[in-house]
Amino acid sequence: MENAEYEYFISLIEKEIFLIRNSGPNLNIHLKFNGEKNNFFYEVGNFKQNFLVLGEKYSYNKEKGIFQFSYTLFDENNNEINKIEIAIRHV
């Protein structure tokens, strides 16, 4: 998957999603959909921060060719920061 600035690789393996940005600042998120939080290190410029991510749900609508998933982002103290929802449509 590509957008104007970055190239991404997404794979779903046994209820786990791997989201990797290969261009620009590297970004690697490993989401588990079994109730387990994973560590996520984010770095851009001088900003560096450890987070936790928790996979919420994922689905694939074969008829429309849309893959969707969501996750929650937490700080290191387990305080919820944001919920993220992503939908990808095959064109």
Side-chain angles (χ1 to χ4, degrees), residues 72-88:
T72 303
L73 185 68
F74 298 88
D75 66 16
E76 292 178 297
N77 296 317
N78 285 306
N79 298 309
E80 183 178 316
I81 296 173
N82 203 356
K83 288 189 180 281
I84 292 100
E85 295 180 358
I86 296 174
I88 302 163

Side-chain angles (χ1 to χ4, degrees), residues 39-53:
N39 289 316
F40 164 53
F41 181 72
Y42 184 76
E43 179 178 359
V44 61
N46 292 329
F47 180 79
K48 297 177 184 180
Q49 181 73 41
N50 284 309
F51 294 99
L52 297 169
V53 290

Side-chain angles (χ1 to χ4, degrees), residues 17-30:
I17 290 178
F18 300 87
L19 174 62
I20 300 166
R21 182 169 59 203
N22 295 321
S23 58
N26 287 342
L27 174 72
N28 297 311
I29 299 176
H30 178 195

Side-chain angles (χ1 to χ4, degrees), residues 52-63:
L52 297 169
V53 290
L54 174 65
E56 296 291 334
K57 59 185 174 181
Y58 65 93
S59 65
Y60 180 68
N61 183 321
K62 188 174 183 178
E63 182 178 301

